[in-house]
Amino acid sequence: MNGFACKNPATVQAKDFSFTGLHIPGNTRNAIGSAVTAATVTQIPGLNTLGISMVRIDLAPWGINPPHTHPRATEILTVIEGSLEVGFVTSNPDNRLISKILQKGDVFVFPIGLIHYQRNVGNGNVVAIAALSSQNPGVITIANSIFGSKPDISADILAKAFQVDKSIVQQIQWRF
Amino acid sequence: MNGFACKNPATVQAKDFSFTGLHIPGNTRNAIGSAVTAATVTQIPGLNTLGISMVRIDLAPWGINPPHTHPRATEILTVIEGSLEVGFVTSNPDNRLISKILQKGDVFVFPIGLIHYQRNVGNGNVVAIAALSSQNPGVITIANSIFGSKPDISADILAKAFQVDKSIVQQIQWRF
Amino acid sequence: MNGFACKNPATVQAKDFSFTGLHIPGNTRNAIGSAVTAATVTQIPGLNTLGISMVRIDLAPWGINPPHTHPRATEILTVIEGSLEVGFVTSNPDNRLISKILQKGDVFVFPIGLIHYQRNVGNGNVVAIAALSSQNPGVITIANSIFGSKPDISADILAKAFQVDKSIVQQIQWRF
Amino acid sequence: MNGFACKNPATVQAKDFSFTGLHIPGNTRNAIGSAVTAATVTQIPGLNTLGISMVRIDLAPWGINPPHTHPRATEILTVIEGSLEVGFVTSNPDNRLISKILQKGDVFVFPIGLIHYQRNVGNGNVVAIAALSSQNPGVITIANSIFGSKPDISADILAKAFQVDKSIVQQIQWRF
Amino acid sequence: MNGFACKNPATVQAKDFSFTGLHIPGNTRNAIGSAVTAATVTQIPGLNTLGISMVRIDLAPWGINPPHTHPRATEILTVIEGSLEVGFVTSNPDNRLISKILQKGDVFVFPIGLIHYQRNVGNGNVVAIAALSSQNPGVITIANSIFGSKPDISADILAKAFQVDKSIVQQIQWRF
Amino acid sequence: MNGFACKNPATVQAKDFSFTGLHIPGNTRNAIGSAVTAATVTQIPGLNTLGISMVRIDLAPWGINPPHTHPRATEILTVIEGSLEVGFVTSNPDNRLISKILQKGDVFVFPIGLIHYQRNVGNGNVVAIAALSSQNPGVITIANSIFGSKPDISADILAKAFQVDKSIVQQIQWRF
């Protein structure tokens, strides 16, 4: 389905249903101070057609998981360690920001397709485990999709959309 | 379903399945030069649970329908009049821009949840008719959701996400 | 899915998501004075699994789009030009005809699987754009399916079903 | 869902999941020599959201279950007693009749939304048990929907659709 | 889908949609006095993606169809002959047994995934016809799955789960 | 849906999408040495219709989460702490046990409806976080459903199903 083949049930093995590595901190030494380690159908072939997947999210102090959406999944997340601000924005016309600061053991839901983010608001690292309601949820990082596409979206369009000078758009595009 | 009740089949009437007004040009005298007129379950109660809806899109010369997503629907569009640039960006990690300039009679598809936009690239008005694979597709205009939410997403987060100075973020937020 | 393969996301192109030709009037010089031009997964491979498609409907003055159903889709339609009578019949036991004369800009819904028709009731041509909630909706023209199948349904069965003489059934079958 | 409420799981009882009467022959003393006894969500409230239902079909010698469709369900049928001709017609453009004479113990499938019929081709009664892939499958008897709707579909439309004289259409409508 | 390919619609034949043999009593000369004859996508290729299947259940006097579940289907059953006790158990925390003695013509529903059983409580044979809301419903016989898996589930686990001595578990495992 | 109402989108708040407490160890001082803390639609109303939920699983040394199924969900699990044996049994006729000993950071999948278990095989406590592909997955603990239903399943049935003396069945039933 969607390019992933199904194995013969008679020959599947435990390794087709498992993955190792969610205990390993992702490398957060990057511009946004965060990393996501995924266990989706790409890593676990046995997930095909089963409608779920899991990820680990690491955030260095003040790191962010920048605004993004999952085109095919709702996300549910729990904080394993640290203090994490989370938020999603409701669709037009309200565009309400629904946000909360989560502590260890708190759970939060990001409904399918809505833009959401996470930010470490503590002094230590944040570790979170999240699950998604698709074996192949997809991720769209808004900044990359808008300002870092290949090729670029025309700067005229973005200048008008974000109500800024075209030069600012081009400056941002240059960074992505 | 999702807050919309179903009517008794014995008492439904033609007006429960119809809507008037897709022939009326939307008012494009706004900052982005475009307008969308919707016929979803809000306007047509008989659409409930049926998984489809329709909209008219108007764009003044060089107007844009700024980057947005539909959290619960794929969109298919045809140009009735004018020249229309359309594009969507694939999800991470590729972020490929798939775009095309459409003329009258051309059809284009925006897969569920992906960020897409339209721009009038002709000298006259553009009129397009689009359909969406949900009776309640939702719309998330990226700029409004990111820079115009109520309350604001913290400028720190956006500055880091878009790799710009916090002052630029605040300037954009101030406009929304 | 259902015999249509999915392409590798890395190699899709704009042409996999587009179609040209909905501006071209269909040839209505036929017995029923109408024509349907389709943009489904057959024409647009990128539609696969996305659950939507689009068609153009042309009707000469007094032409009809004869009673038919879509086995896998709800339809939503808008009139671009002309005056169009539309109707669908509810299921047993009520068999209520829900009908309406639509003008330019009116929208109407035909719920999944119900028998419906369109008729041009004006002096000019009718052009309508419709969308369907499946990439592969299927069409069953009732008269062709009932009286024009290959091989024929036994005339005895149809005579009893339609409560007419077998000779009338055979006469109709002979025309299809 | 669709007008049927769900009961509190704590108070459901065996009677919410059962129905009595599929052993009772339906009354086939009618114009078509057949009767269908249904066990759907209307008779069994516990079926709601569960996606299945069951019916008994009785046919007197040479009786027919006239051409019909189920807008929301595939049907699977087995013959308990008698000889039964069954058939369905594939969708446009092929309109192939796929038919077979079934004996006791034979099973046949009618795919969702396709027009199908049954005819007793033996000297005794036929009893069949069928199941449908929806708790609320709906039935559209083609002749009733086309010629017996309330109000009538215009005879002009039907005359053109079936390529017969308007007088024949009116004659048929008068009988329904 | 799930390893079953779809045929080209142009070449399907009646035999792709049919199966012979539900009139033949299953062999109930076994430890549990029952047999199930299935007509699923394995026997009827045309069922693929259509979401339904059918089975015949035979029970010798006092035979049982032991507690089992269908991981992907709701079941609806009707008694053709005999007296049949049926029951299912609701999920945690209530674990209510919903049961009923069915006579010829009675219908009963087993909701998706719940453990259920049937027992012949009459002096003659029982014949039942059941349908399932999947073309590939799967069957999990609880005793076989728990005590007869290959390799065995550790006896320690089962002893604790069923609150019995490990020796009793091993005795049961030895029989499966 | 299924007895859970949807809130008005305009009045939802962060608390409708959150839950506190997955950091608190469940009380494992019970016969099986394990506890499950759930965050489903019962605890988080905003999950309704979104198709996902999350749980924390605690196991004391040698504690077990006894064989059970989720009638409406696939499960994906990761070990936060400890050594955990996991296994599921494939459906008839193979009844293969697919099992694995997981360490911290390992992920494992239990496909929808299949019987599965977990056992702490280390000297310390095990903590696992799991997600399920339904907001209302349900849990059926096999032993409770089979031997602890209210009222009891007849001991005769269970004796035959598990191929043991009726007295052993009654002994087990007495404990539940």
Side-chain angles (χ1 to χ4, degrees):
Chain A
M1 189 180 263
N2 284 320
F4 294 93
C6 282
K7 281 200 153 188
N8 183 338
T11 64
V12 292
Q13 295 175 270
K15 72 179 168 57
D16 295 318
F17 296 93
S18 61
F19 169 80
T20 293
L22 282 205
H23 62 303
I24 304 171
N27 181 355
T28 60
R29 301 201 174 202
N30 52 42
I32 53 175
S34 74
V36 174
T37 308
T40 69
V41 71
T42 306
Q43 289 80 29
I44 306 179
L47 274 177
N48 204 12
T49 77
L50 294 181
I52 203 162
S53 55
M54 195 173 251
V55 301
R56 173 190 171 123
I57 307 170
D58 286 278
L59 299 107
W62 298 98
I64 63 165
N65 187 0
H68 64 282
T69 71
H70 304 290
R72 293 177 294 275
T74 288
E75 179 175 347
I76 189 166
L77 166 154
T78 192
V79 175
I80 301 297
E81 172 181 322
S83 290
L84 184 68
E85 177 188 333
V86 295
F88 68 81
V89 183
T90 65
S91 54
N92 294 354
D94 288 347
N95 301 124
R96 288 176 59 213
L97 173 65
I98 307 278
S99 70
K100 197 168 197 291
I101 293 178
L102 307 179
Q103 308 299 343
K104 189 176 173 172
D106 288 357
V107 174
F108 200 80
V109 175
F110 306 102
I112 187 167
L114 299 191
I115 297 178
H116 57 284
Y117 69 89
Q118 293 116 25
R119 174 167 63 158
N120 184 343
V121 291
N123 295 317
N125 291 325
V126 160
V127 180
I129 294 291
L132 298 123
S133 63
S134 166
Q135 69 273 7
N136 183 22
V139 185
I140 299 168
T141 301
I142 303 301
N144 295 38
S145 184
I146 294 283
F147 293 100
S149 69
K150 296 168 206 77
D152 276 343
I153 296 175
S154 159
D156 285 326
I157 292 171
L158 297 180
K160 212 174 261 183
F162 289 87
Q163 300 184 30
V164 292
D165 277 357
K166 203 169 142 178
S167 62
I168 291 178
V169 166
Q170 286 166 328
Q171 209 181 306
I172 305 179
Q173 285 182 325
W174 186 85
R175 291 200 189 136
F176 279 93
Chain B
M1 189 180 263
N2 282 320
F4 294 92
C6 281
K7 281 198 152 190
N8 183 339
T11 64
V12 293
Q13 293 176 271
K15 70 179 169 60
D16 296 317
F17 296 93
S18 62
F19 169 81
T20 294
L22 283 204
H23 62 305
I24 304 170
N27 182 356
T28 59
R29 299 197 176 205
N30 52 42
I32 52 174
S34 74
V36 174
T37 308
T40 69
V41 71
T42 305
Q43 290 80 29
I44 306 178
L47 274 177
N48 205 12
T49 76
L50 294 180
I52 203 162
S53 55
M54 193 172 254
V55 302
R56 172 191 171 122
I57 307 170
D58 286 278
L59 299 107
W62 298 98
I64 62 165
N65 188 1
H68 64 283
T69 71
H70 304 291
R72 291 177 295 275
T74 288
E75 179 175 348
I76 188 167
L77 166 155
T78 191
V79 175
I80 302 298
E81 176 182 319
S83 290
L84 184 68
E85 177 189 334
V86 294
F88 67 82
V89 183
T90 66
S91 53
N92 294 354
D94 287 347
N95 301 122
R96 288 176 58 213
L97 174 64
I98 307 279
S99 69
K100 196 168 197 290
I101 293 178
L102 307 179
Q103 308 300 341
K104 190 178 170 169
D106 289 357
V107 175
F108 201 80
V109 176
F110 306 102
I112 188 166
L114 299 191
I115 297 179
H116 57 285
Y117 69 88
Q118 293 116 26
R119 174 166 64 157
N120 185 342
V121 290
N123 296 314
N125 291 324
V126 161
V127 180
I129 294 291
L132 298 124
S133 63
S134 166
Q135 69 272 6
N136 184 21
V139 185
I140 298 169
T141 301
I142 303 300
N144 295 36
S145 185
I146 294 283
F147 294 101
S149 69
K150 296 167 208 78
D152 276 343
I153 297 175
S154 159
D156 285 327
I157 292 172
L158 297 181
K160 211 173 261 184
F162 290 88
Q163 300 182 30
V164 291
D165 278 358
K166 204 171 144 179
S167 62
I168 291 179
V169 167
Q170 285 166 329
Q171 209 180 307
I172 306 179
Q173 284 182 325
W174 186 84
R175 293 200 188 137
F176 278 93
Chain C
M1 188 181 265
N2 283 321
F4 294 93
C6 281
K7 281 198 151 188
N8 182 338
T11 64
V12 293
Q13 292 176 273
K15 73 178 167 61
D16 295 317
F17 297 93
S18 60
F19 170 80
T20 293
L22 283 205
H23 63 304
I24 303 171
N27 182 356
T28 59
R29 301 200 174 201
N30 52 43
I32 51 173
S34 73
V36 174
T37 309
T40 69
V41 71
T42 305
Q43 290 79 28
I44 307 179
L47 274 177
N48 204 11
T49 77
L50 294 180
I52 203 162
S53 55
M54 194 172 253
V55 302
R56 172 192 172 122
I57 306 170
D58 285 278
L59 299 107
W62 298 99
I64 61 164
N65 187 0
H68 63 282
T69 70
H70 304 290
R72 293 177 294 274
T74 288
E75 178 175 349
I76 189 166
L77 167 154
T78 191
V79 175
I80 301 298
E81 175 181 320
S83 289
L84 185 69
E85 179 190 332
V86 295
F88 67 81
V89 183
T90 66
S91 54
N92 293 355
D94 287 347
N95 300 122
R96 289 176 59 212
L97 173 65
I98 306 279
S99 70
K100 198 168 197 288
I101 293 178
L102 307 180
Q103 308 299 343
K104 189 177 172 169
D106 289 356
V107 174
F108 200 80
V109 175
F110 307 102
I112 187 167
L114 299 191
I115 297 180
H116 57 284
Y117 70 88
Q118 293 117 26
R119 174 166 64 156
N120 184 342
V121 291
N123 296 315
N125 292 323
V126 161
V127 179
I129 294 292
L132 297 124
S133 63
S134 167
Q135 69 272 6
N136 183 22
V139 186
I140 298 168
T141 301
I142 302 300
N144 296 37
S145 184
I146 294 283
F147 294 100
S149 69
K150 297 169 208 79
D152 275 344
I153 296 176
S154 159
D156 286 326
I157 292 172
L158 297 181
K160 210 173 263 185
F162 290 88
Q163 301 181 29
V164 292
D165 278 356
K166 203 170 142 178
S167 62
I168 291 179
V169 166
Q170 287 166 328
Q171 209 181 307
I172 305 179
Q173 285 182 326
W174 186 85
R175 292 201 189 133
F176 279 94
Chain D
M1 190 180 263
N2 284 318
F4 295 92
C6 282
K7 281 200 153 187
N8 184 338
T11 65
V12 293
Q13 294 175 271
K15 72 179 167 59
D16 296 318
F17 296 93
S18 60
F19 170 81
T20 293
L22 282 204
H23 61 305
I24 304 171
N27 181 355
T28 59
R29 299 196 175 203
N30 52 42
I32 52 175
S34 72
V36 174
T37 308
T40 69
V41 71
T42 306
Q43 289 80 29
I44 306 178
L47 274 177
N48 205 11
T49 76
L50 294 181
I52 203 162
S53 54
M54 194 173 254
V55 301
R56 172 192 172 120
I57 307 171
D58 285 279
L59 299 106
W62 297 99
I64 62 165
N65 187 1
H68 64 281
T69 71
H70 304 289
R72 294 177 293 274
T74 288
E75 179 176 348
I76 188 166
L77 167 155
T78 192
V79 176
I80 301 298
E81 172 182 322
S83 289
L84 185 67
E85 177 189 332
V86 295
F88 68 81
V89 183
T90 66
S91 55
N92 294 353
D94 287 346
N95 301 122
R96 288 176 60 212
L97 174 64
I98 307 278
S99 69
K100 196 167 197 294
I101 293 178
L102 306 180
Q103 307 300 342
K104 191 177 170 171
D106 288 357
V107 175
F108 201 80
V109 176
F110 307 102
I112 187 167
L114 298 191
I115 296 179
H116 58 285
Y117 69 88
Q118 293 117 25
R119 175 167 61 156
N120 184 342
V121 291
N123 296 316
N125 291 324
V126 160
V127 179
I129 294 292
L132 298 124
S133 64
S134 167
Q135 69 272 7
N136 183 22
V139 186
I140 299 169
T141 301
I142 302 302
N144 296 37
S145 185
I146 294 283
F147 293 100
S149 70
K150 295 168 208 78
D152 276 344
I153 297 176
S154 160
D156 286 327
I157 292 171
L158 297 181
K160 211 172 261 181
F162 289 87
Q163 300 183 30
V164 291
D165 278 357
K166 204 171 142 178
S167 62
I168 291 178
V169 166
Q170 286 166 329
Q171 210 180 305
I172 305 179
Q173 285 182 325
W174 186 87
R175 292 200 189 136
F176 279 93
Chain E
M1 189 180 265
N2 283 319
F4 295 92
C6 282
K7 281 200 151 187
N8 183 338
T11 64
V12 292
Q13 293 175 270
K15 70 177 168 60
D16 296 318
F17 296 93
S18 60
F19 169 81
T20 293
L22 283 205
H23 61 306
I24 304 171
N27 182 355
T28 59
R29 300 199 175 202
N30 52 42
I32 52 174
S34 73
V36 174
T37 308
T40 69
V41 71
T42 306
Q43 289 80 29
I44 307 179
L47 274 178
N48 204 12
T49 77
L50 294 180
I52 202 161
S53 55
M54 194 172 252
V55 302
R56 171 190 171 122
I57 307 170
D58 285 279
L59 298 107
W62 298 99
I64 63 165
N65 188 0
H68 63 282
T69 71
H70 304 290
R72 293 178 294 276
T74 288
E75 178 175 349
I76 188 166
L77 167 154
T78 191
V79 175
I80 301 299
E81 176 182 320
S83 289
L84 185 67
E85 178 189 332
V86 295
F88 67 82
V89 183
T90 66
S91 53
N92 295 355
D94 287 347
N95 300 122
R96 287 178 58 214
L97 172 66
I98 307 278
S99 69
K100 197 168 195 291
I101 294 179
L102 306 179
Q103 307 300 342
K104 190 176 172 173
D106 288 356
V107 175
F108 201 80
V109 175
F110 307 102
I112 187 167
L114 299 191
I115 296 179
H116 58 285
Y117 69 89
Q118 293 117 25
R119 174 166 63 155
N120 185 342
V121 291
N123 295 315
N125 292 323
V126 160
V127 179
I129 294 292
L132 298 124
S133 64
S134 167
Q135 68 272 6
N136 184 21
V139 186
I140 298 168
T141 301
I142 302 301
N144 296 38
S145 185
I146 293 284
F147 293 100
S149 69
K150 295 168 207 80
D152 276 342
I153 296 176
S154 159
D156 285 327
I157 292 172
L158 296 181
K160 211 174 264 185
F162 290 88
Q163 300 182 29
V164 292
D165 277 357
K166 204 170 143 180
S167 61
I168 292 179
V169 166
Q170 285 166 329
Q171 207 180 309
I172 306 178
Q173 285 182 325
W174 186 84
R175 293 200 188 135
F176 279 93
Chain F
M1 188 180 264
N2 283 320
F4 295 93
C6 281
K7 281 199 152 188
N8 183 338
T11 64
V12 293
Q13 292 176 272
K15 72 179 166 60
D16 296 318
F17 296 94
S18 60
F19 169 80
T20 293
L22 283 204
H23 61 305
I24 304 172
N27 181 355
T28 59
R29 300 198 174 203
N30 52 42
I32 52 175
S34 73
V36 174
T37 308
T40 69
V41 71
T42 305
Q43 290 79 29
I44 306 179
L47 274 177
N48 204 12
T49 77
L50 295 180
I52 203 162
S53 55
M54 194 172 253
V55 301
R56 172 192 173 123
I57 306 170
D58 286 279
L59 298 106
W62 298 99
I64 62 165
N65 188 359
H68 63 281
T69 71
H70 304 289
R72 293 178 294 275
T74 288
E75 179 175 347
I76 189 167
L77 166 154
T78 192
V79 175
I80 301 298
E81 176 181 319
S83 290
L84 184 68
E85 178 189 334
V86 294
F88 67 81
V89 183
T90 66
S91 53
N92 296 353
D94 287 347
N95 301 122
R96 288 177 59 214
L97 173 65
I98 307 279
S99 70
K100 197 169 198 289
I101 292 178
L102 307 179
Q103 308 299 343
K104 190 177 173 172
D106 288 357
V107 174
F108 201 80
V109 175
F110 307 102
I112 187 167
L114 299 191
I115 296 180
H116 57 285
Y117 69 89
Q118 293 116 25
R119 174 166 63 156
N120 184 342
V121 291
N123 296 316
N125 292 323
V126 160
V127 179
I129 294 291
L132 298 124
S133 64
S134 167
Q135 68 273 7
N136 183 22
V139 185
I140 298 169
T141 301
I142 302 302
N144 295 37
S145 185
I146 294 283
F147 293 100
S149 69
K150 296 169 206 80
D152 276 343
I153 297 177
S154 158
D156 285 327
I157 293 172
L158 297 181
K160 212 173 262 185
F162 289 88
Q163 301 182 30
V164 291
D165 279 356
K166 205 170 141 179
S167 62
I168 291 179
V169 167
Q170 286 166 329
Q171 207 180 309
I172 306 179
Q173 285 182 325
W174 187 85
R175 293 201 187 135
F176 279 94

